[in-house]
Amino acid sequence: MDEALRGGTGTYQKLENGVLVPSPELFLRVAATLRFSDHHLRIAHLDLFRTDPVLSAGPASPHWHRWVRCHTETAYVCSPAGELIAGNDAFTQMFPSGRPPANMTEWALLSAEAREDVLLNWERDWAPYLLADLRLALARHPDDPTLRELRDAVRNDPRTRHIEDAPTGIGDEARRLRHAGRGTITVRALTSRTSDVTVVTLLSEGQG
């Protein structure tokens, strides 16, 4: 067991006896070696470190399509890297083209449609917070190839490379957007994240 953990002689015995408190890295090696389920991994990680572990994204549930259809507010679900999984009718109708993008993070940060037509005051009210969210996603999933490509793209883009990250990501502050189906509206973004998906609801506060 010590060899599997890449620790010194007696490492596992010290862990079992409570003599050694593992680092997060050592704990994850123990969990992988003993084949903890994700559920028990979360419980043990919270017990030891008071935080959730960062887990690799798994396959998204096919039932997200049903979930978004239950909402009248603009709602969508994407992967941690921004890849679109599901969106409701209000979401689809938001885009002037009528076609949602394959990747919401790429669209919001790099597309002319988002910058010029949909996300109003993009450079001030949207981009710094979207960049902060991208940085957080990269910290959680540093080896994700899509996130790494997006990081390189925003670094090389003439507009985004000069924008500083905000102190926080997109929150529920009021922002304005031009919804192709509903006109110019003020929205508040409510975001929930798991290891597998990011769920976003844009609560409309009416025209404005």
Side-chain angles (χ1 to χ4, degrees), residues 13-184:
Q13 185 176 14
K14 291 176 184 176
L15 291 171
E16 277 195 315
N17 294 335
V19 176
L20 174 65
V21 176
S23 66
E25 293 76 17
L26 177 56
F27 167 76
L28 291 175
R29 290 202 296 273
V30 172
T33 301
L34 297 180
R35 299 183 180 179
F36 282 23
S37 69
D38 285 352
H39 179 73
H40 288 102
L41 173 60
R42 286 190 173 99
I43 291 172
H45 200 280
L46 283 163
D47 186 51
L48 281 169
F49 308 113
R50 299 294 186 265
T51 61
D52 273 306
V54 176
L55 303 176
S56 300
S61 168
H63 302 296
W64 284 116
H65 292 276
R66 181 179 174 187
W67 182 88
V68 293
R69 289 198 298 269
C70 296
H71 296 268
T72 56
E73 299 282 3
T74 302
Y76 65 94
V77 181
C78 58
S79 75
E83 296 147 325
L84 185 63
I85 294 168
N88 64 0
D89 288 343
F91 170 74
T92 300
Q93 294 162 6
M94 182 173 75
F95 303 94
S97 64
R99 296 186 303 275
N103 187 297
M104 282 299 294
T105 302
E106 180 181 29
W107 174 83
L109 280 170
L110 297 168
S111 76
E113 183 180 64
R115 292 168 167 179
E116 309 300 335
D117 296 331
V118 179
L119 305 181
L120 302 181
N121 299 315
W122 173 83
E123 194 155 334
R124 182 193 70 194
D125 293 342
W126 292 91
Y129 304 90
L130 292 164
L131 288 168
D133 275 336
L134 176 59
R135 182 185 293 272
L136 179 60
L138 276 161
R140 285 176 169 145
H141 306 281
D143 298 322
D144 187 288
T146 300
L147 285 170
R148 292 162 71 99
E149 288 176 10
L150 287 169
R151 176 200 60 195
D152 294 343
V154 299
R155 285 177 176 174
N156 294 324
D157 181 81
R159 293 183 68 178
T160 53
R161 69 186 179 198
H162 296 300
I163 298 174
E164 291 187 9
D165 296 7
T168 63
I170 291 285
D172 64 356
E173 300 85 0
R175 292 179 171 83
R176 296 170 66 242
L177 63 80
R178 188 177 294 115
H179 191 292
R182 300 182 176 183
T184 299

Side-chain angles (χ1 to χ4, degrees), residues 73 175-177 182-187 203-208:
E73 299 282 3
R175 292 179 171 83
R176 296 170 66 242
L177 63 80
R182 300 182 176 183
T184 299
I185 57 176
T186 299
V187 298
L203 296 177
S204 173
E205 297 196 336
Q207 306 297 117

